[in-house]
Amino acid sequence: MRRLPLIALALSLAAAANAQGVTDTEIKIGGSTALTGPGALVGIAHDLGEKIATAEINAAGGINGRKVVRVFEDDGYVPARTVTTVRKLLDVDKVLAITASSGTASTLAALPMMEEQGVPALQTAAPNTVMFSPMHKTLFVVGRAYGPGTTDFVKFLAARKPGAKFLTIVQDDDYGDDVQAGYEKAIADLKLSTVGVLRYKRGQKDFAAEVLKAKQLGATIIVSGGIIAENVTIAKEARRVGLEAEIAMLWSGRLPQTIDLMGEAGNGIIAADYVGDFDEGPGKALFEKARAYLTPEELTKLNRYSLTGYVGARLLFDAIGRCGRDVTRACVVAKLETTTNLDMAGLTSPISFTPDSRISDLKLRYTILDWSKKAWVPIN
Amino acid sequence: MQFLADLIVSGLAAGAVYGLFGMAYAAIYKATGVVNFAQGEVAMLIVYLTAAVFLRVPLPFWSALLIAPLIGIATGLVLDRLVIRPMVGRPAFAIVMVTIGLAVMLRALIVLVWGSELREFPARAGEAVLTFSGVGLYPVQILAFVVLAIAIAAAWALLRFSRMGLAMRATAIDERTATLMGIDVRRVAAIAWAASAGVSALAGVLFASTTFVGPDLFQAGLKAFPATIVGGLDSVIGSAIGGLILGVVENLTGGYGDTALKEISGFIAIVAVLMIRPTGLFGARDVERL
Amino acid sequence: MPASLTATRHPTSRRPIPLLPFAILAAIALPYAANAYALGFATTIVITAIGVVGFNVLTGWTGLVSLGYAGFFAVGAYTQGVLATRYGWPLLATLPAAAIVAALVSVLVGAPSLRLRGLYLAITTLAFSAIISHVILLAKPLTGGSRGFSVARPSVLGIPLRSDAAIFWLCAASLIFAVWLASNILRSYLGRAFFAVRDAETAARVLGVDVIRAKLLAFALSSAITGFAGALFALNQRYLNVENFELLLSIEAVSILIVGGVGSIPGVIAGTVFMVLLPECARLAFNAIGGSLADLAGAQEIRGVMYGLVIILFLRFAPGGLIDFWHSGRAWLRRWPCTG
């Protein structure tokens, strides 16, 4: 095609000059997530987390004298739309890096484009194994992947309650695949007793059959692999049918809203997560800081996804900072992959990547829902 | 066994909601020959409106079962007047497309106006678990049975004995002849829409109370659609029973078979019924209506 | 009783050919003139138009109301994706394969549905579309299940189709070909048989038209074209996921027919441009107006509201679609200033 040499010329010219997204005074980064629609709970919180990080770093003078400018697009968590928004961020806004691309399917859809242009990209909201295994050079996943996280969780639960009979209810898609793989690994590693793996269709509302089956099979610990609503329904159904089992859930639904929705049925549910909360410890300190940067209404929208967004942004700023004044996409990727034990002030465990690894494998902490306090209380 | 009893009762509880939606589908089809693809979305709208009322004025739960249908009847009349009546005389599929357009629009509009968070229905029916010979039910679920039973009885009586019921059955058989016989077909349609919306309002409130108030409430309407195909699109009571059957089949499939197949059992039912007996178990009319 | 959505229209095919030189010039020039974002839109418009040209054959001309568009589009897309990525087939083989597989699948859907009409046919095709979705999910090793998979961009006669511009030209050429094909069907015996089935099936049967053959051919031809569009979609998107092929896609196809004018090929083009650009225009307008509307500007829901409104308003006030406006407008202009 006769256009190829032209494109190559243009690209090399662009590379020779100031790199994409970088001017003498500004660094432009971008992201796409659900700011409206069903995923907005996650997306808006993520956006706000990045907002805090950006305001923080700009208040301290920017990165090596350059201010950080953020462009955020709304893709409603629809993969086809993410392709459009990321294309816009890359071709029209010409950002240096992409800090968010919604969920797994969306990220994978936009990935060919991002890889082609060598754009450093972060995934902090949905740590799915498929995004770093096989590894994509420019995509960095922050968190603990669903699969390995489930393995850790099950082992923790087994230690806490020896002799338990495990059962898991997982979603019938790639997320559920990841959770199931992790579950089965823990069972195999420790030779635990498992009575069933039940799969449900995404969007399902009625869990009577699943919960009844769990009761029938005699499960004493249920690893609930729902996202938000599913876990609530499972908890409520368990209470209705008189299922006496401990319910354990992963971090996706560990939100303030979940506590309200579950009501009494949620008391005693155990949750695993790799970030803390805004109402205790380092999260609380960050919340106080955020008062200066967010409106009161925005403060009410913060949740764990704000923390993951914040942490991701800090990671990116650190890498950009280590490039000095000579900031290019390639440099940022190189610095990201050599991040070692980056301290996050206790919000998460320290972040590390290596040239061969694109997952930061953060440590899990465990909490139990205390209905009387309406909060997630840390376990030991 | 306890397991079987639990599954069946859970299935009936879910099926009661399907049955109510089924009746709503059938009411409109029976009177106008149109399938209202916006049934679930209309119910969702009414639930949000009802919830808005209850957020301002704390009232006991049972009043929701009165207020919601009232809002529903009003909504049904408005929709009929604004959207459906102008399409009288047009081919039935054009009207069906209008309902599809309505559905798509309402789904999006509700998210734009109320956001997409999940909330609890503001009026609670009680968290106590009531057990009947080992099977547990929340009060809402028991209410669902009661409401369905009353709806079936009311429908039977109205269709059999009242003049409006007679007019509906006549219109359903042949619109043109009914008009010639002096029946105001447009009024029949309006009443069908109002009644249908009223019944879906009940279904919606009951469903939202067992799950959440959220922008995907409309799915209950979609899931209930096989109920009316199986029961018979033009049989109001048949559709109610179809709903119960659907709920039980779903739960039995999930309990004894693969839980992942639970959701698709409805679609398979539709295809099977349409291939073998297109008018459904209790339907009587000619399939080639169009 | 005719199963046509709106008034019975027998489109004549006077229009398409004189526009051809302009269309070709515009297609060649576009990638140079537009930025990547706009080019993306143009490609989407072209692909959608091809798909609906196919859909029009089934629903517009033969009057077989189908809500299964998404399913046939998906079959074409996944056939292209699987054959190109997993088996390394060349483009010249995968594109026809996509069309053929889609056609075969549609015959599987059409054959048992021959007795059904109108509403029941619509529901059946809807159910089949859902079943196709589930099959795609189940065939994990091939299709990547719910995760989906990346589609390779193969080469044509040794020339790699890497750039977006190349994809656009391929799609534009395909659209021209599809329109030409459809116009020829329109003028042929088959086209007249289609109309006969739509408008007066019993009479047609009496007059010796093989109604069963016509219906099956309508399904096959329609889905072949739609499947072809699906294959192009796979090439353009480069990533296939079952979520791309939901009910909304089928509704979009019907909306385009309604908006453009049922049965008319230029109407399909006009309708596609309208329906694809409308949400984008709304987004720009919301951003310009600002305030709380600007927050909603990017919302996917805007698309839904637009589709719904458009369907309702067009069916109510303009059942003949944009093409009707066009004809009325021209007629009015011809009479001007003696309109009265």
Side-chain angles (χ1 to χ4, degrees), chain A residues 260-280:
Chain A
D260 291 327
L261 289 173
M262 284 215 199
E264 236 183 274
N267 196 39
I269 292 193
I270 302 181
D273 204 340
Y274 50 86
V275 290
D277 258 321
F278 276 102
D279 55 4
E280 46 91 39

PDB file of all heavy atoms in Angstrom, chain A residues 260-280:
ATOM      1  N   ASP A 260     -25.671  -2.080  52.358  1.00  0.00           N
ATOM      2  CA  ASP A 260     -27.078  -1.683  52.457  1.00  0.00           C
ATOM      3  C   ASP A 260     -27.986  -2.706  51.818  1.00  0.00           C
ATOM      4  O   ASP A 260     -29.010  -3.089  52.373  1.00  0.00           O
ATOM      5  CB  ASP A 260     -27.287  -0.332  51.742  1.00  0.00           C
ATOM      6  CG  ASP A 260     -26.619   0.798  52.495  1.00  0.00           C
ATOM      7  OD1 ASP A 260     -26.572   0.709  53.730  1.00  0.00           O
ATOM      8  OD2 ASP A 260     -26.158   1.749  51.837  1.00  0.00           O
ATOM      9  N   LEU A 261     -27.599  -3.140  50.638  1.00  0.00           N
ATOM     10  CA  LEU A 261     -28.478  -4.038  49.892  1.00  0.00           C
ATOM     11  C   LEU A 261     -28.612  -5.387  50.585  1.00  0.00           C
ATOM     12  O   LEU A 261     -29.668  -5.998  50.562  1.00  0.00           O
ATOM     13  CB  LEU A 261     -27.939  -4.236  48.475  1.00  0.00           C
ATOM     14  CG  LEU A 261     -28.063  -3.031  47.560  1.00  0.00           C
ATOM     15  CD1 LEU A 261     -27.345  -3.294  46.246  1.00  0.00           C
ATOM     16  CD2 LEU A 261     -29.519  -2.712  47.280  1.00  0.00           C
ATOM     17  N   MET A 262     -27.528  -5.867  51.167  1.00  0.00           N
ATOM     18  CA  MET A 262     -27.599  -7.207  51.777  1.00  0.00           C
ATOM     19  C   MET A 262     -28.443  -7.196  53.029  1.00  0.00           C
ATOM     20  O   MET A 262     -29.089  -8.185  53.370  1.00  0.00           O
ATOM     21  CB  MET A 262     -26.195  -7.680  52.129  1.00  0.00           C
ATOM     22  CG  MET A 262     -25.420  -8.131  50.946  1.00  0.00           C
ATOM     23  SD  MET A 262     -24.360  -9.479  51.371  1.00  0.00           S
ATOM     24  CE  MET A 262     -23.204  -9.428  50.050  1.00  0.00           C
ATOM     25  N   GLY A 263     -28.390  -6.100  53.765  1.00  0.00           N
ATOM     26  CA  GLY A 263     -29.116  -6.069  55.015  1.00  0.00           C
ATOM     27  C   GLY A 263     -28.560  -7.098  55.975  1.00  0.00           C
ATOM     28  O   GLY A 263     -27.397  -7.470  55.942  1.00  0.00           O
ATOM     29  N   GLU A 264     -29.451  -7.597  56.789  1.00  0.00           N
ATOM     30  CA  GLU A 264     -29.049  -8.551  57.813  1.00  0.00           C
ATOM     31  C   GLU A 264     -28.427  -9.794  57.216  1.00  0.00           C
ATOM     32  O   GLU A 264     -27.577 -10.435  57.831  1.00  0.00           O
ATOM     33  CB  GLU A 264     -30.298  -8.974  58.571  1.00  0.00           C
ATOM     34  CG  GLU A 264     -30.220  -8.741  60.056  1.00  0.00           C
ATOM     35  CD  GLU A 264     -31.466  -9.256  60.714  1.00  0.00           C
ATOM     36  OE1 GLU A 264     -32.441  -8.495  60.761  1.00  0.00           O
ATOM     37  OE2 GLU A 264     -31.438 -10.420  61.146  1.00  0.00           O
ATOM     38  N   ALA A 265     -28.879 -10.163  56.030  1.00  0.00           N
ATOM     39  CA  ALA A 265     -28.390 -11.392  55.404  1.00  0.00           C
ATOM     40  C   ALA A 265     -26.892 -11.336  55.168  1.00  0.00           C
ATOM     41  O   ALA A 265     -26.244 -12.355  55.004  1.00  0.00           O
ATOM     42  CB  ALA A 265     -29.121 -11.630  54.079  1.00  0.00           C
ATOM     43  N   GLY A 266     -26.329 -10.118  55.172  1.00  0.00           N
ATOM     44  CA  GLY A 266     -24.913  -9.986  54.887  1.00  0.00           C
ATOM     45  C   GLY A 266     -24.024 -10.174  56.084  1.00  0.00           C
ATOM     46  O   GLY A 266     -22.803 -10.254  55.959  1.00  0.00           O
ATOM     47  N   ASN A 267     -24.609 -10.230  57.280  1.00  0.00           N
ATOM     48  CA  ASN A 267     -23.793 -10.312  58.479  1.00  0.00           C
ATOM     49  C   ASN A 267     -22.930 -11.567  58.457  1.00  0.00           C
ATOM     50  O   ASN A 267     -23.439 -12.669  58.294  1.00  0.00           O
ATOM     51  CB  ASN A 267     -24.704 -10.313  59.717  1.00  0.00           C
ATOM     52  CG  ASN A 267     -23.935 -10.012  60.969  1.00  0.00           C
ATOM     53  OD1 ASN A 267     -23.038  -9.171  60.963  1.00  0.00           O
ATOM     54  ND2 ASN A 267     -24.255 -10.706  62.048  1.00  0.00           N
ATOM     55  N   GLY A 268     -21.635 -11.385  58.640  1.00  0.00           N
ATOM     56  CA  GLY A 268     -20.757 -12.540  58.695  1.00  0.00           C
ATOM     57  C   GLY A 268     -20.137 -12.928  57.376  1.00  0.00           C
ATOM     58  O   GLY A 268     -19.379 -13.887  57.302  1.00  0.00           O
ATOM     59  N   ILE A 269     -20.418 -12.197  56.325  1.00  0.00           N
ATOM     60  CA  ILE A 269     -19.809 -12.516  55.034  1.00  0.00           C
ATOM     61  C   ILE A 269     -18.350 -12.083  55.050  1.00  0.00           C
ATOM     62  O   ILE A 269     -18.007 -11.025  55.541  1.00  0.00           O
ATOM     63  CB  ILE A 269     -20.551 -11.816  53.896  1.00  0.00           C
ATOM     64  CG1 ILE A 269     -21.936 -12.414  53.748  1.00  0.00           C
ATOM     65  CG2 ILE A 269     -19.776 -11.956  52.591  1.00  0.00           C
ATOM     66  CD1 ILE A 269     -22.622 -12.014  52.469  1.00  0.00           C
ATOM     67  N   ILE A 270     -17.510 -12.957  54.509  1.00  0.00           N
ATOM     68  CA  ILE A 270     -16.078 -12.665  54.491  1.00  0.00           C
ATOM     69  C   ILE A 270     -15.699 -12.185  53.100  1.00  0.00           C
ATOM     70  O   ILE A 270     -16.129 -12.755  52.103  1.00  0.00           O
ATOM     71  CB  ILE A 270     -15.273 -13.923  54.841  1.00  0.00           C
ATOM     72  CG1 ILE A 270     -15.702 -14.435  56.210  1.00  0.00           C
ATOM     73  CG2 ILE A 270     -13.780 -13.625  54.826  1.00  0.00           C
ATOM     74  CD1 ILE A 270     -14.963 -15.648  56.644  1.00  0.00           C
ATOM     75  N   ALA A 271     -14.895 -11.122  53.063  1.00  0.00           N
ATOM     76  CA  ALA A 271     -14.473 -10.599  51.769  1.00  0.00           C
ATOM     77  C   ALA A 271     -12.959 -10.492  51.712  1.00  0.00           C
ATOM     78  O   ALA A 271     -12.305 -10.221  52.709  1.00  0.00           O
ATOM     79  CB  ALA A 271     -15.110  -9.236  51.524  1.00  0.00           C
ATOM     80  N   ALA A 272     -12.413 -10.735  50.527  1.00  0.00           N
ATOM     81  CA  ALA A 272     -10.975 -10.576  50.307  1.00  0.00           C
ATOM     82  C   ALA A 272     -10.759  -9.371  49.415  1.00  0.00           C
ATOM     83  O   ALA A 272     -11.568  -9.101  48.526  1.00  0.00           O
ATOM     84  CB  ALA A 272     -10.412 -11.823  49.635  1.00  0.00           C
ATOM     85  N   ASP A 273      -9.687  -8.634  49.655  1.00  0.00           N
ATOM     86  CA  ASP A 273      -9.394  -7.472  48.810  1.00  0.00           C
ATOM     87  C   ASP A 273      -7.911  -7.142  48.902  1.00  0.00           C
ATOM     88  O   ASP A 273      -7.240  -7.527  49.857  1.00  0.00           O
ATOM     89  CB  ASP A 273     -10.240  -6.271  49.245  1.00  0.00           C
ATOM     90  CG  ASP A 273     -10.425  -5.263  48.123  1.00  0.00           C
ATOM     91  OD1 ASP A 273      -9.619  -5.273  47.160  1.00  0.00           O
ATOM     92  OD2 ASP A 273     -11.380  -4.478  48.199  1.00  0.00           O
ATOM     93  N   TYR A 274      -7.412  -6.416  47.916  1.00  0.00           N
ATOM     94  CA  TYR A 274      -6.014  -6.006  47.976  1.00  0.00           C
ATOM     95  C   TYR A 274      -5.858  -4.506  48.187  1.00  0.00           C
ATOM     96  O   TYR A 274      -4.752  -3.977  48.167  1.00  0.00           O
ATOM     97  CB  TYR A 274      -5.244  -6.448  46.722  1.00  0.00           C
ATOM     98  CG  TYR A 274      -5.914  -6.076  45.432  1.00  0.00           C
ATOM     99  CD1 TYR A 274      -5.718  -4.834  44.842  1.00  0.00           C
ATOM    100  CD2 TYR A 274      -6.757  -6.980  44.796  1.00  0.00           C
ATOM    101  CE1 TYR A 274      -6.342  -4.502  43.662  1.00  0.00           C
ATOM    102  CE2 TYR A 274      -7.382  -6.650  43.620  1.00  0.00           C
ATOM    103  CZ  TYR A 274      -7.183  -5.410  43.058  1.00  0.00           C
ATOM    104  OH  TYR A 274      -7.805  -5.080  41.879  1.00  0.00           O
ATOM    105  N   VAL A 275      -7.006  -3.817  48.363  1.00  0.00           N
ATOM    106  CA  VAL A 275      -6.944  -2.423  48.801  1.00  0.00           C
ATOM    107  C   VAL A 275      -7.755  -2.283  50.075  1.00  0.00           C
ATOM    108  O   VAL A 275      -8.596  -3.132  50.383  1.00  0.00           O
ATOM    109  CB  VAL A 275      -7.512  -1.428  47.764  1.00  0.00           C
ATOM    110  CG1 VAL A 275      -6.612  -1.324  46.565  1.00  0.00           C
ATOM    111  CG2 VAL A 275      -8.904  -1.815  47.373  1.00  0.00           C
ATOM    112  N   GLY A 276      -7.511  -1.189  50.792  1.00  0.00           N
ATOM    113  CA  GLY A 276      -8.230  -0.977  52.034  1.00  0.00           C
ATOM    114  C   GLY A 276      -9.532  -0.241  51.802  1.00  0.00           C
ATOM    115  O   GLY A 276     -10.172  -0.367  50.758  1.00  0.00           O
ATOM    116  N   ASP A 277      -9.912   0.542  52.774  1.00  0.00           N
ATOM    117  CA  ASP A 277     -11.145   1.309  52.707  1.00  0.00           C
ATOM    118  C   ASP A 277     -10.863   2.764  53.030  1.00  0.00           C
ATOM    119  O   ASP A 277      -9.824   3.086  53.592  1.00  0.00           O
ATOM    120  CB  ASP A 277     -12.160   0.775  53.727  1.00  0.00           C
ATOM    121  CG  ASP A 277     -13.197  -0.082  53.066  1.00  0.00           C
ATOM    122  OD1 ASP A 277     -13.621   0.279  51.937  1.00  0.00           O
ATOM    123  OD2 ASP A 277     -13.593  -1.094  53.660  1.00  0.00           O
ATOM    124  N   PHE A 278     -11.824   3.625  52.725  1.00  0.00           N
ATOM    125  CA  PHE A 278     -11.636   5.041  53.007  1.00  0.00           C
ATOM    126  C   PHE A 278     -11.950   5.388  54.451  1.00  0.00           C
ATOM    127  O   PHE A 278     -11.740   6.518  54.871  1.00  0.00           O
ATOM    128  CB  PHE A 278     -12.520   5.891  52.086  1.00  0.00           C
ATOM    129  CG  PHE A 278     -11.898   6.156  50.753  1.00  0.00           C
ATOM    130  CD1 PHE A 278     -12.289   5.458  49.635  1.00  0.00           C
ATOM    131  CD2 PHE A 278     -10.899   7.120  50.623  1.00  0.00           C
ATOM    132  CE1 PHE A 278     -11.708   5.702  48.401  1.00  0.00           C
ATOM    133  CE2 PHE A 278     -10.312   7.373  49.389  1.00  0.00           C
ATOM    134  CZ  PHE A 278     -10.715   6.665  48.286  1.00  0.00           C
ATOM    135  N   ASP A 279     -12.497   4.407  55.198  1.00  0.00           N
ATOM    136  CA  ASP A 279     -12.905   4.800  56.546  1.00  0.00           C
ATOM    137  C   ASP A 279     -11.935   4.325  57.617  1.00  0.00           C
ATOM    138  O   ASP A 279     -12.237   4.424  58.795  1.00  0.00           O
ATOM    139  CB  ASP A 279     -14.322   4.294  56.833  1.00  0.00           C
ATOM    140  CG  ASP A 279     -14.433   2.791  56.612  1.00  0.00           C
ATOM    141  OD1 ASP A 279     -13.401   2.165  56.316  1.00  0.00           O
ATOM    142  OD2 ASP A 279     -15.558   2.259  56.714  1.00  0.00           O
ATOM    143  N   GLU A 280     -10.801   3.791  57.220  1.00  0.00           N
ATOM    144  CA  GLU A 280      -9.833   3.412  58.249  1.00  0.00           C
ATOM    145  C   GLU A 280      -8.420   3.452  57.684  1.00  0.00           C
ATOM    146  O   GLU A 280      -8.217   3.253  56.491  1.00  0.00           O
ATOM    147  CB  GLU A 280     -10.143   2.019  58.812  1.00  0.00           C
ATOM    148  CG  GLU A 280     -10.452   0.951  57.765  1.00  0.00           C
ATOM    149  CD  GLU A 280      -9.249   0.171  57.294  1.00  0.00           C
ATOM    150  OE1 GLU A 280      -8.388  -0.132  58.128  1.00  0.00           O
ATOM    151  OE2 GLU A 280      -9.167  -0.120  56.100  1.00  0.00           O
TER     152      GLU A 280
END
